[in-house]
Amino acid sequence: MEKTINEVFKKRTDKYQDRIAVEKKLNGAWESASWAQYYDAAREAGLALRSVGVEKGDRVSILSENRLEWLYADLGTLGTLGIGGAVVPVYTTLLAEEVGYILENSGAKAVFVEDSDQMEKVLACLKDLPELKKIILIEGRVPADAEDIVVGYEEFAALGEQLHLKDKDSFERLAREVEPQDLATIVYTSGTTARPKGVMISHKNIMAILKSLASVKPTYCFDTDQVVPFLPLSHVFGRLTDHFFGMYVGGTASYAESILLFARDVKEKKPHVIQAVPRVCEKVYHKILEKVEDQPPWKQKVFSWGHKIGLMLLPP
């Protein structure tokens, strides 16, 4: 019985190997990774963090829209930092001051940034971040005047691969050190007053949620299923249900290019499962009702009849 996210990741990789685990539509094209490639990339990211001085108990932040590197950074951090290691997701929509507050308050030692725009937010508040050791730029050119703290993602991942070649058991060994009560993530959420508060979530917390979802009857998600996540990974619901639960079940997660293009990607991938917060479902429902109102009366009656039948078929 798995007790940490690390154990889940390793066991699913061992089981599925060459099956597609995750993919992301970026600039109109799908980028994919098998379970084995997923694990290797996460290992590179995690060991690279070790190579730049990130130790157990340190925080690592991710400031990016959904993409494969987000997933690699997340599981690389969880697998490598061991006891007390935690990932701090940050919304890309936040202003530099807000980003700086979260990085400072969490004591982040490293931050993955998606592009130059996000990098500039971190650089703008660098003087207030004495704990920060490295900014890893996923996409874009490293500025010449910041090469001491900014490193490109590919160059950074190569550091992790070098460590792996020197000690091929290091990643697995560090991952096994993680205990269920260890901190897995700190999610900052808006409080009723003042600045956002960091919610501390352990591996045990996450595993309890995953096991609860898996216990729902009738079972609604299987390892043969396709899902199309669209919520940002910085959102705790998206990260737990799409990212971690998808991994727990062993299905294939095809991350939509954006929430605006979600319908297009759903039509292409034909997912078996879509998971969303209630507000999203409400918006979809009201959009459908708006479309129905534009139809002739006979079509409205057909819709009303079908809607009633559907409600009757729902489980009690």
Side-chain angles (χ1 to χ4, degrees):
M1 181 70 70
E2 299 108 352
K3 296 182 179 180
T4 67
I5 293 299
N6 303 342
E7 291 179 5
V8 174
F9 190 32
K10 183 66 168 68
K11 288 186 178 181
R12 298 305 176 274
T13 298
D14 290 343
K15 182 176 182 179
Y16 299 116
Q17 285 292 317
D18 295 329
R19 269 180 47 180
I20 296 297
V22 291
E23 55 185 357
K24 173 70 172 80
K25 200 162 201 180
L26 204 60
N27 300 320
W30 290 101
E31 297 178 357
S32 62
S34 67
W35 284 94
Q37 291 169 331
Y38 190 7
Y39 190 86
D40 289 349
R43 181 184 63 217
E44 287 180 357
L47 292 178
L49 288 168
R50 298 283 288 184
S51 74
V52 298
V54 178
E55 300 290 342
K56 293 179 182 178
D58 291 341
R59 276 62 159 145
V60 173
S61 191
I62 306 175
L63 177 57
S64 172
E65 294 294 333
N66 292 359
R67 55 189 302 149
L68 295 187
E69 291 87 351
W70 207 113
L71 303 172
Y72 303 156
D74 189 21
L75 290 170
T77 301
L78 293 175
T80 302
L81 298 188
I83 297 171
V87 173
V88 183
V90 184
Y91 283 99
T92 58
T93 52
L94 296 184
L95 301 175
E97 180 184 357
E98 297 169 312
V99 170
Y101 169 74
I102 291 175
L103 296 181
E104 184 276 329
N105 187 258
S106 64
K109 293 292 181 66
V111 55
F112 290 84
V113 296
E114 182 171 28
D115 52 27
S116 298
D117 289 341
Q118 303 303 331
M119 176 188 66
E120 290 299 333
K121 293 179 184 179
V122 181
L123 291 175
C125 51
L126 202 56
K127 67 180 188 303
D128 300 319
L129 304 173
E131 298 293 326
L132 192 67
K133 295 177 179 290
K134 221 57 167 171
I135 301 171
I136 302 98
L137 179 62
I138 296 173
E139 189 176 287
R141 180 174 295 181
V142 176
D145 60 349
E147 290 180 342
D148 57 330
I149 192 166
V150 181
V151 60
Y153 186 90
E154 291 185 7
E155 179 184 348
F156 182 72
L159 298 176
E161 179 61 18
Q162 291 171 18
L163 277 186
H164 172 64
L165 293 175
K166 291 179 181 177
D167 182 357
K168 294 196 173 183
D169 295 324
S170 58
F171 186 71
E172 286 77 11
R173 188 170 61 248
L174 290 163
R176 287 194 297 269
E177 293 180 10
V178 179
E179 299 290 339
Q181 66 271 17
D182 292 335
L183 190 62
T185 188
I186 302 176
V187 178
Y188 279 79
T189 182
S190 298
T192 53
T193 58
R195 285 177 154 175
K197 283 81 174 173
V199 179
M200 303 169 73
I201 303 174
S202 69
H203 281 262
K204 186 177 181 179
N205 296 147
I206 294 172
M207 292 305 298
I209 293 171
L210 303 187
K211 290 172 183 176
S212 294
L213 290 172
S215 69
V216 172
K217 301 298 180 185
T219 302
Y220 72 94
C221 195
F222 302 87
D223 64 356
T224 53
D225 283 348
Q226 174 97 35
V227 298
V228 178
F230 63 93
L231 291 173
L233 285 163
S234 298
H235 192 295
V236 69
F237 182 92
R239 187 147 165 250
L240 287 175
T241 60
D242 291 325
H243 180 17
F244 290 144
F245 186 61
M247 181 173 64
Y248 185 80
V249 173
T252 297
S254 303
Y255 286 81
E257 184 159 8
S258 70
I259 193 167
L260 296 177
L261 298 173
F262 170 64
R264 179 204 65 184
D265 295 340
V266 164
K267 184 176 181 181
E268 178 182 351
K269 287 297 179 179
K270 298 179 175 59
H272 303 87
V273 179
I274 296 175
Q275 301 179 116
V277 293
R279 183 57 185 147
V280 171
C281 297
E282 289 173 1
K283 286 183 176 181
V284 172
Y285 179 65
H286 288 304
K287 191 69 175 178
I288 291 172
L289 292 182
E290 288 177 6
K291 294 287 186 181
V292 171
E293 290 177 358
D294 293 335
Q295 301 302 312
W298 71 269
K299 283 191 176 182
Q300 294 183 26
K301 290 181 180 179
V302 171
F303 174 84
S304 179
W305 171 80
H307 185 247
K308 290 177 181 177
I309 296 298
L311 291 175
M312 291 172 58
L313 294 175
L314 287 175

